[in-house]
């Protein structure tokens, strides 16, 4: 980027630098602080400067989820810009999700004018007093890697560079930038130097000493087990894990996965039942799994060796976390796995590998047989089983379809083979992610089918009308399926976990858990030109979902309201 000319205001320089650094989209919900941004976009109506595409998103929760879903498919960050304190407040749910899922998002917010007089952008509305805060960044500081407010005389281009580099350095995460209206309206300050480098610091690779120790521990094990939640986000790690585990017959469990980490048809994929498999392992290799198991429910065998590998194996962003660990290794899994594969060669006996392969095959066959029985039984169950929804999707979706699953269907019943084809529920538990994430995913991969399967509570938290509006305005046809059990199932289940024989368990209606009478969700999408359907009978489900796919494949968003029982295991 060349030095700004005397007519360039900081808002123009800000947008231009975002584009220079590879930001293609800004998901925005504007307010009175956006005047210099809007002026800059108008000045650039002829496209003389390279700016990102600014997309109007009428709710901040949807905008944050769009940026989250976009990154997970595109592999590069997007920016979000919101209105001062009030807009920032609406992003906190999404910021928490992004922080716990290590998603780099540049969240920017305007700042209400600081001055009362003396500047063309000084306060001119009563809200400019009410919307000021002592520490605007404090609202999100606990869940961002960095926050900063642009000052007068500073080059906004350098601030953009710093923000994106921090967001994209491992472990990745969101950052927050405050942009006062007066500063954005002033003439831009030139940056001291203009460098061109990839976003973020180069990721750490584990030392050879650490990799050798890991290899020796695995080589000495009878039944080593790999646990992961998010390794598959990296295309390189996804591929190497499949090759590594096949070569050395290393079984894999996915603990509360928010990504697809191993193809479901892979011979070493033992599913998700950590409770039954973890005590069997004598070496446990934890890869990108902040919560690999729930200690109240299950722990490794007393003499098992436990290894954690991730950019931050201690997960220092969690206030309290106490998991077994014999070896902590810092580094990305995409960097560690190729080294581990080389280190294991020559250390394992072929007979031991083949014996373990047969053991894993037997376990897997038993698991698959149980899954087939469960899915067959689900076909005629009333109300409709969520496993039946999964079975229909398996038959109807394209192989590379992207499924966003927010408390909608059991992942154990889905069949997926392609990297980047799954987004799951998030550790932060901030509901409403599934809808906006579907739009972001479709924006990143318009050629792929995108299916969002959400609970009825998640649908309401997702701000349905803004979601459907953006889907129509941006031509992003997605298929939304609501698993509508007319309740807060997670709240009910957690109450039964704590008080299995309590008064709430025996009540005809458990307090604070019902969502009745259920709205006609299928009608909301029709206000934005989409197709809405409702299904209550199991025999009608397949054909209804098929019609939904036909609508989406013709370019029309579709939603199916499925009346279900409580979510299947």
């Amino acid at each position: 980027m060349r030095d700004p000319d005397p007519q360039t205001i900081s808002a123009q320089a800000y947008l231009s630098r975002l584009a220079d650094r590879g930001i293609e989209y800004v998901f925005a919900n504007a307010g009175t602080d956006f005047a210099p941004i809007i002026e800059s976009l108008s000045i650039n109506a002829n496209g003389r400067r390279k700016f990102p595409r600014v997309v109007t998103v009428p709710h901040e929760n949807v905008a944050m989820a769009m940026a989250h879903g976009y990154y997970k498919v595109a592999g590069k960050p997007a920016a979000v810009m919101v209105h001062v304190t009030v807009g920032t407040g609406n992003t906190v749910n999404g910021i928490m999700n992004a922080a716990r899922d290590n998603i780099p998002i540049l969240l920017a917010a305007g700042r209400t004018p600081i001055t009362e007089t003396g500047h063309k952008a000084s306060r001119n509305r009563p809200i400019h007093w009410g919307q000021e805060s002592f520490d605007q960044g404090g609202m999100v500081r606990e869940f961002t890697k960095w926050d900063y407010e642009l000052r007068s005389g500073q080059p906004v281009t350098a601030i953009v560079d710093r923000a994106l580099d921090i967001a994209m350095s491992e472990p990745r995460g969101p950052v927050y930038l405050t942009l006062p209206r007066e500063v954005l309206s002033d003439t831009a300050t030139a940056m001291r130097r203009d460098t061109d480098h990839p976003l973020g610091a180069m990721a750490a690779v584990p030392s050879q000493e650490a990799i050798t120790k890991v290899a020796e521990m695995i080589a000495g094990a009878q039944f080593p087990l790999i646990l992961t939640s998010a390794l598959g986000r990296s295309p390189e790690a996804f591929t190497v894990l499949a090759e590594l585990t096949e070569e050395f017959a290393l079984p894999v469990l996915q603990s509360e996965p928010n990504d697809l980490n191993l193809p479901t048809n892979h011979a070493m994929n033992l599913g998700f039942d950590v409770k039954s498999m973890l005590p069997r392992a004598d070496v446990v290799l934890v890869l990108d799994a902040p919560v690999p198991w729930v200690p109240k429910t299950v722990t490794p065998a007393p003499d098992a060796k436990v290894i954690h590998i991730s950019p931050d194996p201690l997960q220092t962003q969690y206030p309290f976390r106490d998991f077994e660990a014999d070896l902590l290794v810092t580094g990305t899994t995409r960097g560690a796995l190729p080294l581990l594969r080389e280190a294991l060669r020559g250390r394992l006996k072929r007979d031991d590998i083949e014996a373990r392969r047969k053991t894993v095959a037997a376990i897997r066959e038993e698991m698959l047989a149980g899954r087939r029985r469960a899915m067959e039984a689900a076909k005629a169950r009333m109300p409709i089983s969520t496993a039946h929804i999964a079975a229909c999707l398996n038959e109807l979706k394209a192989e590379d379809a992207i499924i966003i699953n927010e408390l909608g269907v059991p992942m154990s019943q889905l069949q997926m083979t392609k990297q980047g084809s799954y987004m799951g529920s998030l550790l932060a538990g901030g509901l409403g992610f599934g809808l906006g994430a579907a739009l972001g995913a479709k924006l990143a991969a318009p050629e792929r089918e995108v299916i969002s399967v959400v609970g009825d509570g998640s649908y309401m938290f997702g701000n349905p009308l803004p979601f459907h509006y953006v889907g129509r305005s941006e031509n992003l046809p997605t298929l939304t399926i609501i698993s509508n059990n007319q309740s807060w199932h997670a709240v009910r289940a957690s109450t039964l976990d704590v008080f299995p024989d309590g008064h709430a368990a025996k009540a005809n209606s458990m307090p604070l858990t019902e969502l009745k009478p259920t709205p006609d969700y299928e009608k909301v999408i029709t206000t934005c030109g989409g197709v809405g359907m409702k299904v209550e009978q199991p025999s009608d489900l397949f054909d209804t979902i098929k019609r939904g796919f036909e609508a989406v494949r013709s370019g029309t968003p579709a939603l199916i309201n499925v009346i279900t029982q409580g979510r299947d295991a």
Side-chain angles (χ1 to χ4, degrees):
M1 178 181 177
R2 294 187 298 272
D3 288 349
D5 63 55
Q7 303 304 313
T8 298
I9 62 175
S10 288
Q12 290 173 281
Y14 172 70
L15 293 168
S16 183
R17 191 58 175 178
L18 289 176
D20 288 345
R21 300 312 308 273
I23 300 296
E24 296 182 358
Y25 295 98
V26 178
F27 306 121
N29 193 14
T32 59
D33 50 324
F34 272 64
I37 295 290
I38 293 169
E39 178 68 9
S40 297
L41 292 171
S42 301
I43 292 171
N44 199 50
N46 60 5
R48 185 173 66 88
R49 289 174 176 265
K50 182 183 178 184
F51 282 179
R53 181 141 182 269
V54 180
V55 179
T56 299
V57 183
H59 197 280
E60 295 85 354
N61 204 25
V62 179
M64 290 297 295
M66 286 183 69
H68 196 139
Y70 175 82
Y71 171 77
K72 291 190 78 167
V73 175
K76 51 188 176 182
V80 174
M81 188 165 179
V82 300
H83 176 41
V84 299
T85 49
V86 290
T88 300
N90 274 346
T91 68
V92 172
N93 195 62
I95 279 285
M96 292 172 65
N97 283 337
R100 294 302 189 232
D101 203 24
N102 297 118
I103 302 296
I105 297 172
L106 172 53
L107 172 61
R111 192 190 191 285
T112 198
I114 300 168
T115 58
E116 294 185 348
T117 59
H119 196 286
K120 64 182 178 184
S122 293
R123 298 177 184 180
N124 63 329
R125 296 177 183 273
I127 60 170
H128 291 155
W129 281 262
Q131 289 180 336
E132 186 180 14
S133 66
F134 290 102
D135 182 12
Q136 186 168 314
M139 298 173 67
V140 297
R141 187 162 299 136
E142 183 170 348
F143 296 100
T144 54
K145 293 184 66 179
W146 172 89
D147 71 273
Y148 190 72
E149 180 169 305
L150 178 67
R151 271 79 161 183
S152 178
Q154 289 183 326
V156 68
T157 46
I159 302 300
V160 167
D161 282 6
R162 180 162 173 76
L164 290 173
D165 281 339
I166 291 172
M168 285 292 285
S169 295
E170 298 285 358
R172 294 176 177 175
V175 295
Y176 180 69
L177 180 59
T178 311
L179 302 170
R181 190 168 80 168
E182 294 99 327
V183 182
L184 284 184
S185 301
D186 286 338
T187 301
T189 300
M191 63 191 308
R192 190 172 70 249
R193 59 196 180 103
D194 186 359
T195 59
D196 183 16
H197 65 270
L199 294 180
M202 291 187 66
V205 176
S207 68
Q208 189 59 54
E209 178 186 6
I211 291 295
T212 298
K213 288 182 179 179
V214 175
E216 289 173 347
M217 293 167 74
I218 292 175
Q222 292 296 313
F223 194 81
L225 182 66
I226 293 175
L227 283 177
T228 185
S229 297
L231 171 149
R233 184 169 311 163
S234 161
E236 299 87 354
F238 181 87
T239 298
V240 177
L241 181 68
E243 296 170 348
L244 170 75
T245 54
E246 172 63 26
E247 183 174 351
F248 300 109
L250 302 174
V252 178
L253 283 176
Q254 298 175 73
S255 172
E256 286 295 323
N258 35 21
D259 297 87
L260 179 67
N261 302 293
L262 198 65
T264 55
N265 61 359
H266 193 283
M268 292 298 115
N269 189 332
L270 292 187
F272 315 94
D273 189 5
V274 176
K275 187 175 180 180
S276 67
M277 294 302 301
L278 181 60
R280 183 170 182 167
D282 51 353
V283 168
V284 181
L285 177 57
V286 180
L287 303 172
D288 291 340
V291 185
W293 56 82
V294 177
K296 183 178 179 180
T297 303
V298 64
T299 58
D303 57 348
K305 299 297 182 184
V306 180
I307 309 158
H308 294 255
I309 302 178
S310 82
D312 179 14
L314 287 170
Q315 303 295 333
T316 53
Q317 75 271 35
Y318 293 85
F320 177 73
R321 180 183 180 274
D322 181 25
F323 285 90
E324 290 83 349
D326 295 279
L327 183 60
L328 298 168
V329 181
T330 300
T332 63
T333 49
R334 66 180 179 273
L337 289 179
L339 298 175
L340 180 59
R341 188 180 184 189
E342 287 301 316
L344 283 173
R345 287 175 175 163
R347 279 191 164 90
L348 287 93
K349 296 178 180 178
R350 179 55 51 187
D351 289 347
D352 292 341
I353 293 174
E354 295 309 314
R356 186 163 58 244
R357 196 183 305 279
K358 291 179 181 179
T359 300
V360 174
I363 297 171
R364 179 171 166 79
E365 179 50 42
E366 183 180 355
M367 176 190 74
L368 294 176
R371 187 176 301 170
R372 288 191 293 267
R373 289 192 297 270
M375 295 189 80
E376 186 62 31
K379 289 181 179 179
R381 191 180 302 157
M382 277 287 291
I384 294 171
S385 166
T386 54
H388 189 20
I389 298 175
C392 293
L393 289 177
N394 290 338
E395 189 167 345
L396 290 167
K397 70 179 178 67
E399 186 178 4
D400 68 345
I402 300 168
I403 295 179
I404 295 94
N405 183 23
E406 187 176 20
L407 304 177
V409 293
M411 185 185 180
S412 60
Q413 309 290 3
L414 293 171
Q415 296 172 8
M416 298 167 289
T417 60
K418 301 297 184 182
Q419 188 273 336
S421 60
Y422 182 80
M423 298 183 208
S425 299
L426 305 174
L427 283 180
L431 291 184
F433 162 80
L435 301 187
L439 296 177
K442 189 66 177 178
L443 197 63
E447 75 286 356
R448 296 174 69 178
E449 293 174 355
V450 176
I451 307 141
S452 183
V453 193
V454 300
D456 46 332
S458 297
Y459 179 73
M460 286 195 275
F461 265 94
N463 298 277
L465 195 56
F467 159 68
H468 293 307
Y469 164 79
V470 175
R472 180 184 188 182
S473 66
E474 296 298 320
N475 191 27
L476 299 171
T478 62
L479 174 60
T480 305
I481 298 176
I482 302 175
S483 294
N484 182 3
N485 58 22
Q486 304 171 70
S487 70
W488 295 116
H489 178 70
V491 178
R492 178 181 177 83
S494 67
T495 303
L496 294 176
D497 287 344
V498 179
F499 300 104
D501 300 313
H503 291 277
K506 299 170 185 175
N508 292 329
S509 175
M510 186 182 289
L512 300 177
T513 62
E514 291 193 351
L515 294 174
K516 297 177 181 179
T518 182
D520 295 325
Y521 297 116
E522 70 279 3
K523 294 181 180 179
V524 181
I525 193 173
T526 62
T527 66
C528 293
V531 173
M533 294 171 278
K534 181 178 181 179
V535 57
E536 299 182 72
Q537 298 297 322
S539 57
D540 297 333
L541 183 64
F542 183 87
D543 287 341
T544 305
I545 294 179
K546 184 178 180 181
R547 291 198 299 275
F549 273 109
E550 289 170 350
V552 169
R553 288 165 183 166
S554 69
T556 303
L559 178 144
I560 304 171
N561 179 13
V562 184
I563 306 301
T564 67
Q565 61 183 4
R567 190 163 61 102
D568 296 327

